[in-house]
Amino acid sequence: MENAAPHGIPPPRRGDHELIAAVAAQDIEALRVLHRRHAPWLRARLLRRCADPDVVDAAVQDTFVAVWQGASRYSAQGDDAAAWIWTIAIRRMVSVLRGRGSQWIGGGPVPDTDPAASSAEDVVLLRVEHGDLGTAVARLSPELRAVIEATILDGLTVRETSQLLGVPEGTVKTRLMRAKARLREELA
């Protein structure tokens, strides 16, 4: 246990890389520590993208199931643990929104849950987030930025984005059109 040590001396804080390695070795306490450390910020960040707290809670739960199942594929050499967990979380939220997120309960392993695989898309999105386009997206109003993040970065449909943000589909289309126009202006 992270908080218990002999002679009243607190144990050294284990880093995320160590914890994920312990999770890969089936250490449930390491998963608990990861959950306590990361679930609060994951939930807060996902709530900025989704208005439904039940969807967010399901996504956070599914994230740590995927961490448990995929910890052995995590690469401590190249991956930032928080970024790896965030990638899992956003994918789990999209799956929940698409109606596949809760199938793991009693139904065996979740299909398509290789959270450690870095796709070309992930590499491009990382460059987008930290390049000129990322700066331009950050300058958008929160409403326009939310639509761009949901449709372009997260790959949701207009209908899914509408459900995610709690606004009509027509509003999503209008905001998307305005956001793209502002981005073109910024990048021209």
Side-chain angles (χ1 to χ4, degrees):
M1 209 181 233
E2 188 178 60
N3 295 330
H7 311 294
I9 300 170
R13 177 181 158 108
R14 293 196 298 180
D16 289 340
H17 297 305
E18 289 178 281
L19 289 170
I20 294 171
V23 170
Q26 306 293 298
D27 181 344
I28 192 75
E29 183 57 31
L31 183 66
R32 284 188 187 107
V33 172
L34 273 176
H35 185 272
R36 280 193 304 266
R37 188 177 292 172
H38 292 281
W41 71 261
L42 278 176
R43 188 171 195 285
R45 194 166 172 193
L46 289 172
L47 279 169
R48 283 187 262 165
R49 298 232 181 149
C50 179
D52 186 343
D54 292 335
V55 169
V56 170
D57 290 341
V60 171
Q61 176 182 335
D62 288 355
T63 296
F64 287 95
V65 170
V67 166
W68 179 259
Q69 293 172 339
S72 64
R73 293 184 298 271
Y74 172 76
S75 168
Q77 288 79 25
D79 293 338
D80 173 54
W84 180 73
I85 293 170
W86 169 250
T87 301
I88 296 168
I90 196 66
R91 288 180 179 168
R92 294 291 86 217
M93 188 171 76
V94 169
S95 292
V96 170
L97 285 168
R98 289 184 175 159
R100 299 184 314 219
S102 61
Q103 289 181 349
W104 69 271
I105 298 174
V110 180
D112 196 18
T113 57
D114 186 6
S118 292
S119 66
E121 179 185 61
D122 291 336
V123 173
V124 169
L125 289 176
L126 184 61
R127 289 183 184 148
V128 165
E129 188 174 342
H130 299 290
D132 292 340
L133 183 56
T135 302
V137 168
R139 289 185 185 136
L140 291 173
S141 69
E143 296 82 17
L144 298 181
R145 186 172 50 250
V147 169
I148 287 291
E149 288 173 345
T151 58
I152 306 298
L153 298 179
D154 296 338
L156 298 178
T157 65
V158 169
R159 174 175 287 150
E160 291 165 339
T161 301
S162 169
Q163 293 171 347
L164 175 77
L165 300 176
V167 298
E169 289 182 36
T171 302
V172 171
K173 291 176 185 178
T174 301
R175 289 179 183 175
L176 186 56
M177 181 183 67
R178 287 182 184 156
K180 286 180 179 181
R182 292 218 174 106
L183 290 173
R184 277 190 221 102
E185 290 171 11
E186 282 268 338
L187 298 171

